[in-house]
């Protein structure tokens, strides 16, 4: 009925305007929001402590590539959870969620689960993964740790294909990899570099000494190692109920 | 059905890691996250299984007057697990969606009018001004972490979730647990919300799975050969 690897039924309100459809916020709504915000603690979202800018590829079609903005909350030394947006400004669209685990945790996952995860070593060493506005020297010790982690990233809003609202089924995303199909397109990197006034190439050179993990589990990066990506289908089914529905 | 709290595996955060995160938290911009201004508590159930129900803490921001995006956690605490996300759209935007997309969205009318969807910490009179709008919206939710079945890590594929649509669906003990924790009464709030109205054209028949369950399945797809694109120097 809906599949992450098939284009959705064309959404009528298309066009070059990539902004989310809908009327601008009213003053009344702003006032309401401000008032309520003062009374609520919003604790979980205040735990995000890092902004990471990165690139991701669709597992079912790695030629489709996006710039991502991860807002990272570390739960412990081995586990992070990230809210992922398509930009770092206040209009950023929430496009998905990524979870990051240490190699220790990854190795304990069942093999079928491991297929849904991707490695991070290459994108860190290639300078694609950055903490905007943070000097490399400060980020470095942590990058050494993160280079050994694996991630699982579900994308629920395929903005790169022009969807003005989140349509269809979640797509599994994967990381850039050192194969032709896994390289990030130059224009995406250049655009990112221009925005932050950095050079990904220079960053890559400065990260040459970051240790490669001794071993990257071949169940991860399944598209690269086994030629298969994953799509998610949503199908109609009988619902198990305890009361009438709907 | 009680939620089991499964502990996420892992060592406590090390000092070196904490140093970076102190820097990043102080120096970096958190644009889209800073826009999150509202905490909504509600219940979701799995779109293929109404007997599995989850307390869902939404942290929401507006894209504009008609569209919101929310992060969903399993609790409102600092160690809450990020279990999913939800998008909310106005009735007007919902009606522009293609028909097969509409099935993936659920109505909010019952949850709001029954009182079970609420804003913790906010007085009723103020909540109701916003919830009056939420009452007319539709939502699309995915959960990625089935903590309710004891998973201490986000395993498996995304799950489509649904919202309550009538009396009798929500587990009594789940409702009471939340009422007690926040010192509120859903019944009382229902009376206060009696004047609220849902979507102006009524709940769309295609929403809420079109009345049927929804299940996600994963499927392997062939990826084109690795060297089928030219090499780039990145």
């Amino acid at each position: 009925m809906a599949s992450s690897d098939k284009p959705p039924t064309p959404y009528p309100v298309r066009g070059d305007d990539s902004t989310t459809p809908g009327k601008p916020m009213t003053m009344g709504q702003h006032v309401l929001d401000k008032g309520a915000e003062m009374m609520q603690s919003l604790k979980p979202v205040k735990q995000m402590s890092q902004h990471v800018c990165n690139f991701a590829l669709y597992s079912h079609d790695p030629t489709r590539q996006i710039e991502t903005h991860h807002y990272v909350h570390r739960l412990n030394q081995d586990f992070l959870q990230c809210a992922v947006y398509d930009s770092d400004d206040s209009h950023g669209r929430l496009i998905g969620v990524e979870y990051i685990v240490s190699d220790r945790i990854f190795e304990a996952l069942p093999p079928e689960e491991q297929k849904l995860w991707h490695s991070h070593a290459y994108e860190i060493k290639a300078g694609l993964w950055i903490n905007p506005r943070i000097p490399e020297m400060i980020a470095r010790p942590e990058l050494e740790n993160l280079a050994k982690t694996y991630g699982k990233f579900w994308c629920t809003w395929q903005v790169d294909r022009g969807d003005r609202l989140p349509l269809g089924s979640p797509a599994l995303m994967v990381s850039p990899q050192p194969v032709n199909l896994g390289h990030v397109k130059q224009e995406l990197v250049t655009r990112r570099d221009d925005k932050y006034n950095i050079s990904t190439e220079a960053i890559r050179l400065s990260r040459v000494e970051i240790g490669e993990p001794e071993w990257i589990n071949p169940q991860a990066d399944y598209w690269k190692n086994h030629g298969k990506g994953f799509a998610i289908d949503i199908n109609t089914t009988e619902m198990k109920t305890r009361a009438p529905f709907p | 059905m009680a939620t089991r709290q499964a502990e996420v595996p892992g060592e406590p955060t090390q000092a070196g890691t904490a140093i970076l995160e102190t820097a990043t938290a102080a120096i970096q911009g958190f644009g889209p996250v800073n826009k999150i201004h509202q905490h909504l508590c509600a219940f979701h159930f799995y779109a293929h299984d109404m007997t599995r129900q989850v307390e869902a803490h939404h942290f929401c921001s507006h894209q504009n007057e008609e569209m919101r995006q929310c992060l969903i956690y399993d609790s409102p605490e600092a160690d809450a697990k990020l279990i999913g996300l939800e998008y909310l759209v106005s009735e007007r935007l919902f009606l522009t969606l293609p028909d097969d997309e509409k099935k993936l969205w659920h109505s909010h009318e019952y949850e709001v009018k029954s009182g079970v969807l609420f804003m913790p910490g906010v007085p009723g009179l103020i909540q109701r001004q916003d919830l009056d709008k939420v009452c007319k919206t539709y939502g699309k939710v995915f959960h990625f972490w089935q903590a309710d079945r004891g998973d201490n890590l986000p395993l498996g594929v995304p799950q489509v979730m649904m919202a309550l649509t009538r009396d009798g669906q929500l587990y009594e003990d789940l409702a009471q647990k939340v009422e007690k924790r926040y010192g509120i009464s859903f019944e009382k709030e229902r009376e206060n919300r009696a004047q609220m109205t849902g979507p102006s054209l009524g709940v769309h028949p295609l929403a809420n799975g079109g009345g049927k369950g929804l299940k996600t399945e994963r499927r392997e797809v062939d990826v084109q050969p690795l060297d089928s694109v030219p090499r780039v120097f990145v």
Side-chain angles (χ1 to χ4, degrees):
Chain A
M1 193 184 74
S3 297
S4 59
D5 64 337
K6 306 209 171 23
T9 312
Y11 177 65
V13 191
R14 269 188 193 270
D16 291 329
D17 181 5
S18 64
T19 55
T20 309
K23 300 188 179 57
M25 288 271 283
T26 61
M27 184 50 64
Q29 185 64 48
H30 276 298
V31 169
L32 210 53
D33 290 351
K34 266 285 156 241
E37 188 181 352
M38 294 193 299
M39 299 179 225
Q40 297 191 303
S41 79
L42 309 181
K43 246 185 259 169
V45 300
K46 301 227 176 322
Q47 307 307 313
M48 292 184 220
S49 56
Q50 277 192 65
H51 165 212
V52 174
C53 176
N54 213 336
F55 297 92
L57 290 46
Y58 285 81
S59 78
H60 65 270
D61 180 4
T63 63
R64 285 180 57 198
Q65 306 179 340
I66 56 174
E67 177 184 305
T68 63
H69 293 268
H70 286 55
Y71 292 88
V72 184
H73 170 190
R74 176 180 283 286
L75 284 182
N76 60 46
Q77 190 58 31
D78 297 77
F79 186 90
L80 304 102
Q81 52 191 21
C82 317
V84 187
Y85 296 82
D86 68 334
S87 92
D88 60 352
D89 65 41
S90 59
H91 302 294
R93 290 172 282 199
L94 176 61
I95 61 171
V97 168
E98 178 162 352
Y99 301 99
I100 299 177
V101 300
S102 65
D103 48 358
R104 203 170 61 83
I105 303 242
F106 182 81
E107 290 305 324
L109 294 172
E112 280 303 298
E113 175 64 32
Q114 291 177 334
K115 291 178 183 177
L116 302 176
W117 296 70
H118 57 265
S119 61
H120 288 133
Y122 170 72
E123 59 188 316
I124 287 179
K125 292 204 57 132
L128 297 166
W129 169 316
I130 59 165
N131 290 97
R133 299 186 189 91
I134 296 292
E136 265 297 290
M137 211 174 62
I138 299 190
R140 185 57 176 266
E142 194 43 23
L143 290 174
E144 308 248 357
N145 277 338
L146 292 166
K148 301 183 210 140
T149 60
Y150 295 82
K152 184 182 196 185
F153 178 5
W154 297 108
C155 171
T156 49
W157 192 345
Q158 299 194 34
V159 298
D160 68 301
R161 72 178 175 195
D163 292 0
R164 296 181 71 213
L165 286 176
L167 305 175
S169 186
L172 182 69
M173 307 300 282
V174 292
S175 56
Q177 292 292 320
V179 292
N180 288 7
L181 193 60
H183 284 136
V184 178
K185 294 176 182 139
Q186 189 58 55
E187 63 261 27
L188 287 181
V189 179
T190 303
R191 189 172 68 199
R192 196 272 294 269
D193 282 4
D194 287 348
K195 182 164 98 165
Y196 290 113
N197 202 19
I198 56 168
S199 157
T200 294
E201 179 58 16
I203 294 174
R204 182 183 73 78
L205 290 170
S206 77
R207 291 185 186 176
V208 145
E209 292 147 25
I210 293 186
E212 300 272 355
E214 277 161 26
W215 185 63
I216 298 179
N217 193 310
Q219 282 290 90
D221 310 316
Y222 203 71
W223 65 279
K224 181 189 76 158
N225 296 325
H226 302 268
K228 302 270 190 202
F230 291 93
I232 299 296
D233 299 321
I234 303 179
N235 298 313
T236 300
T237 189
E238 279 308 300
M239 183 194 290
K240 187 172 171 193
T241 58
R242 64 181 301 260
F245 181 84
Chain B
M1 184 146 307
T3 307
R4 285 165 281 169
Q5 285 298 332
E7 182 102 352
V8 179
E11 298 295 310
T13 303
Q14 289 166 4
T17 301
I19 287 172
L20 168 68
E21 294 183 358
T22 306
T24 51
I27 297 170
Q28 294 186 305
F30 285 75
V33 171
N34 287 341
K35 269 186 75 180
I36 297 174
H37 61 78
Q38 179 185 55
H39 169 204
L40 284 175
C41 180
F43 301 93
H44 293 157
F45 61 86
Y46 288 78
H48 61 281
D49 187 353
M50 186 195 285
T51 68
R52 288 179 60 198
Q53 303 181 359
V54 175
E55 187 183 319
H57 291 267
H58 301 58
F59 293 84
C60 313
S61 65
H62 281 266
Q63 276 289 84
N64 56 48
E65 183 70 25
E66 297 181 68
M67 201 251 182
R68 305 182 199 206
Q69 50 194 21
C70 315
L71 298 174
I72 301 179
Y73 293 83
D74 68 340
S75 91
E77 302 307 325
D79 63 350
K81 301 179 179 75
L82 176 58
I83 60 174
L85 45 71
E86 178 162 356
Y87 301 100
L88 278 78
V89 296
S90 63
E91 179 181 15
R92 187 185 77 87
L93 287 183
F94 173 81
L95 293 171
T96 66
L97 296 171
D99 282 356
D100 53 7
E101 177 65 30
K102 288 188 174 83
K103 294 184 194 147
L104 307 181
W105 297 70
H106 58 264
S107 55
H108 289 127
E109 179 176 5
Y110 171 77
E111 286 183 279
V112 173
K113 286 188 61 105
S114 66
V116 305
L117 189 160
F118 66 101
M119 291 170 60
V122 180
L125 212 54
I126 300 184
Q127 280 196 52
R128 276 172 238 134
Q129 291 181 59
D130 194 43
L131 294 180
D132 190 56
K133 296 185 193 183
V134 175
C135 198
K136 301 162 177 48
T137 61
Y138 291 84
K140 184 180 193 184
V141 193
F142 293 107
H143 280 201
F144 311 112
W145 193 341
Q146 300 187 49
D148 66 300
R149 70 175 179 191
D151 290 1
N152 63 359
L153 288 169
L155 305 174
V157 295
Q159 301 292 310
V160 184
M161 306 298 283
M162 291 207 187
L164 304 166
T165 56
R166 67 164 80 207
D167 288 343
Q169 291 172 350
L170 181 60
Y171 285 111
E172 287 289 313
D173 60 344
L174 193 51
Q176 278 161 20
K177 188 172 77 159
V178 174
E179 285 177 301
K180 190 143 166 263
R181 192 190 316 136
Y182 289 105
I184 56 175
S185 153
F186 293 144
E187 206 41 57
K188 185 105 204 308
E189 200 45 29
R190 180 195 293 240
E191 286 166 22
N192 292 333
R193 298 180 189 181
Q195 301 308 316
M196 285 189 190
T197 54
S200 63
L201 300 178
V203 171
H204 197 285
L206 289 178
N208 302 307
K212 293 261 188 305
L214 295 168
K215 186 105 181 63
T216 46
E217 312 269 350
R218 92 186 203 188
R219 173 170 44 90
E220 285 190 4
V221 295
D222 289 320
V223 162
Q224 64 196 76
L226 301 181
D227 58 1
S228 58
V229 299
R231 177 153 158 54
V232 295
F233 296 100
V234 180

